[in-house]
Amino acid sequence: MRNPIRIERFFVLYLPWIFSWILSSFPQSSYLVAWSGSFFIFLITMTGWVKPIPADRNLGEQLMRPLFLTQLIFAGYMCCSTIFYYLDTIGYENFHLLNHLFKPDPKKLILIAQCQRYYCLGHAVFVSGILLFMNYPVKKKYILQTVNLADLLLYIAVITVLVSAFFAFVPGLEQVSTQFTALSFIAATLALAFAIPLQQLPNIIISGVLFLFNFYKSFLSGYKEPIIVSLLVLAIFLYPVYKRTVTFIFVPLLLLIFMVLPTYNQVFRQNAWSGNLSAEAASKIALNAAFDNSEEVKYSNWGFLVFRLSEIDMLIKYLQTTPKTVDFYEMKMISQSVQSLIPRVFWPNKPNTEDLVMKRVYNAGIAAEGMNVSAKPALIADAYLFEGGIGIFLILFLYGVVAQLIALKAESLFGGYILGTALIYSGLFQFLWRGLSFEFLLNSVFWSYITMLLIARFLFIIRILKKAD
């Protein structure tokens, strides 16, 4: 039975944005209404008030679907993390007001409120796209021929590691290697989560080694996302069986890592990326610095929360320059996105996608050409650069629709939630959790979708999947 759609409840999703727009003459009130509006949207969508939660699985067993994890990470990162930037603007540092006589810049507050209204609108539109096409249970094209999911997931984890390593050495196919690396990480995490309740010691050892190897690589990458995601995904997979354990162990652990990662990453990059030290040596120095409870560490963590956790500082700069001095990009962004789909093997002189995207950064004055930085606009910023508020409405709605349709297709092709959403959608389309610039997003969606179809066909040929009756 399909979940019913009640249009009047969809309208409620936009009330925070409407109220914040009405209060636009009072920037701080407008900001707070728009910011808290995202939590309101989380509440009424994840509890099933706007549209009933799918009844084909228990709530804890469908957390990897777009309505939950994709929305939580995407909107949480994009919309909710701006609070630290706002607090810094009104005179707070490390959650303490430095001067009670401090008067914030009124022009900056107006821009912050405007950005937050765009974020709130983007969140509402994004989840509208998800909910409109959230139709479960899925009509399956293929079903699994094996009931031993624990072993199957372990085999997939090992094989995808090998496939990833192979494509890493094939010129021009690094993107395929990246896809299978992400898939192997999710497969290993799933295999570990399945093996633990079943107490299958060989599976626990092999999948545990793969998980720890991925976690170790994440620590030596210099990026914060893989570390957080690796623990978050394991917690989600274990939650249906070990609710209390996950709550009391993984939640504090994630909070601890969130607190020490800013300093760790900063010190690691200073030593490893400059070429002065090996990644292993830089990691040891960074860990010591991260657990040093000094004022310098506290300042580093606050700077991370204010300027790097959120993208609002860059969005403000885009608002100041577009369309005032730089026109909306419109069709130029679309043509560049289509260009990005063509493999370089067929177009050796294809313009570098990174350079094309970075021109938007240079035009806004965020960075100067020649600087060794990568500050590509996030999705809502790119949607604004496309066509302002209209661009945000159109692009974010399409983004939600695409995320949901891909998840549905994955469950149809791979026999249901475990292989479809938990493995394939979460592995091949993990970038949908955060969003990318237009050109990279279209390229990643297109080629990951092709890879998904090829994997389904391969599993059908080797008789792991069979056609549904």
Side-chain angles (χ1 to χ4, degrees):
M1 180 178 177
R2 299 296 181 180
N3 292 328
I5 294 177
R6 298 178 63 178
I7 297 299
E8 71 277 5
R9 295 201 173 191
F10 277 75
F11 174 75
V12 176
L13 292 169
Y14 297 86
L15 289 181
W17 172 72
I18 292 172
F19 290 145
S20 65
W21 178 75
I22 293 172
L23 292 170
S24 55
S25 297
F26 307 93
Q28 294 203 54
S29 298
S30 178
Y31 169 83
L32 291 172
V33 169
W35 180 76
S36 58
S38 283
F39 294 94
F40 173 73
I41 293 171
F42 284 138
L43 177 65
I44 65 174
T45 57
M46 292 187 180
T47 57
W49 185 84
V50 178
K51 185 176 181 179
I53 302 300
D56 59 328
R57 302 182 70 86
N58 295 330
L59 178 62
E61 296 175 349
Q62 55 177 309
L63 294 177
M64 303 298 286
R65 283 174 172 165
L67 177 64
F68 299 103
L69 189 61
T70 306
Q71 182 194 180
L72 190 62
I73 294 179
F74 178 78
Y77 165 73
M78 196 65 62
C79 308
C80 303
S81 61
T82 62
I83 188 65
F84 306 107
Y85 190 89
Y86 167 75
L87 290 174
D88 187 76
T89 300
I90 62 175
Y92 282 80
E93 184 176 303
N94 286 315
F95 305 102
H96 297 290
L97 184 61
L98 299 181
N99 186 345
H100 289 278
L101 299 178
F102 177 81
K103 292 184 178 180
D105 181 354
K107 292 182 179 179
K108 189 172 184 180
L109 285 174
I110 291 172
L111 287 168
I112 291 174
Q114 185 180 358
C115 287
Q116 196 62 40
R117 290 195 295 272
Y118 281 140
Y119 286 137
C120 186
L121 174 63
H123 186 182
V125 175
F126 168 65
V127 78
S128 295
I130 291 176
L131 291 171
L132 281 172
F133 289 85
M134 187 182 71
N135 295 316
Y136 294 96
V138 176
K139 183 178 180 181
K140 297 180 177 120
K141 181 177 181 180
Y142 297 115
I143 58 174
L144 282 170
Q145 294 207 77
T146 176
V147 294
N148 194 338
L149 276 173
D151 286 349
L152 176 61
L153 290 166
L154 184 59
Y155 296 149
I156 292 174
V158 173
I159 292 170
T160 48
V161 166
L162 299 176
V163 173
S164 172
F166 170 77
F167 281 114
F169 293 99
V170 180
L173 292 179
E174 292 84 359
Q175 182 177 353
V176 179
S177 175
T178 302
Q179 291 175 358
F180 278 93
T181 297
L183 196 59
S184 68
F185 156 66
I186 295 293
T189 309
L190 256 180
L192 180 60
F194 266 75
I196 290 174
L198 296 174
Q199 299 182 2
Q200 295 178 328
L201 187 59
N203 291 42
I204 293 174
I205 293 174
I206 297 173
S207 57
V209 168
L210 287 173
F211 177 83
L212 291 174
F213 175 69
N214 286 323
F215 193 79
Y216 179 70
K217 284 199 306 180
S218 299
F219 253 97
L220 300 184
S221 69
Y223 295 100
K224 58 186 179 297
E225 290 87 356
I227 299 171
I228 296 173
V229 167
S230 60
L231 288 175
L232 180 63
V233 170
L234 181 60
I236 289 173
F237 288 154
L238 289 175
Y239 180 76
V241 181
Y242 303 105
K243 292 182 175 66
R244 184 172 296 180
T245 302
V246 168
T247 302
F248 286 102
I249 293 180
F250 279 90
V251 172
L253 183 60
L254 284 167
L255 289 174
L256 174 64
I257 287 180
F258 191 83
M259 291 170 60
V260 303
L261 265 184
T263 302
Y264 173 86
N265 275 358
Q266 180 178 338
V267 176
F268 178 87
R269 292 176 182 184
Q270 288 173 350
N271 289 280
W273 290 11
S274 63
N276 295 330
L277 293 173
S278 66
E280 289 79 6
S283 178
K284 292 179 182 178
I285 295 173
L287 280 173
N288 291 332
F291 287 99
D292 177 15
N293 191 29
S294 64
E295 290 299 318
E296 183 179 354
V297 170
K298 292 179 182 178
Y299 178 79
S300 174
N301 286 342
W302 183 250
F304 166 80
L305 293 174
V306 172
F307 294 105
R308 292 176 56 199
L309 180 63
S310 167
E311 303 280 352
I312 191 171
D313 190 56
M314 285 195 289
L315 181 55
I316 286 174
K317 292 181 173 65
Y318 290 126
L319 263 60
Q320 290 173 315
T321 55
T322 301
K324 185 177 180 180
T325 58
V326 180
D327 292 334
F328 290 121
Y329 289 84
E330 299 173 336
M331 293 304 299
K332 185 175 183 180
M333 291 174 70
I334 294 177
S335 63
Q336 288 179 177
S337 298
V338 174
Q339 268 185 208
S340 73
L341 296 178
I342 305 173
R344 192 168 294 277
V345 67
F346 300 120
W347 186 5
N349 297 322
K350 185 177 80 169
N352 186 284
T353 304
E354 175 92 9
D355 293 341
L356 293 175
V357 175
M358 284 298 293
K359 284 183 179 179
R360 302 200 277 277
V361 179
Y362 303 143
N363 291 341
I366 295 173
E369 291 195 55
M371 292 179 62
N372 186 23
V373 297
S374 180
K376 298 181 290 295
L379 183 60
I380 287 184
D382 238 10
Y384 172 81
L385 292 175
F386 176 72
E387 190 57 73
I390 296 174
I392 291 175
F393 189 93
L394 294 175
I395 298 305
L396 269 295
F397 177 74
L398 183 61
Y399 189 67
V401 170
V402 168
Q404 183 58 56
L405 290 180
I406 289 173
L408 292 173
K409 185 67 173 179
E411 291 201 19
S412 172
L413 289 175
F414 293 90
Y417 173 80
I418 298 299
L419 285 193
T421 292
L423 177 63
I424 298 297
Y425 173 76
S426 301
L428 290 180
F429 300 91
Q430 196 176 116
F431 53 84
L432 292 174
W433 295 353
R434 277 282 307 272
L436 302 169
S437 302
F438 269 18
E439 291 84 345
F440 290 103
L441 183 62
L442 183 60
N443 177 280
S444 298
V445 167
F446 180 82
W447 289 111
S448 293
Y449 195 86
I450 297 299
T451 301
M452 177 178 71
L453 296 179
L454 292 174
I455 291 174
R457 187 62 184 172
F458 174 74
L459 293 181
F460 174 73
I461 291 173
I462 63 174
R463 298 185 178 181
I464 290 177
L465 296 175
K466 68 176 181 178
K467 286 192 176 182
D469 295 331

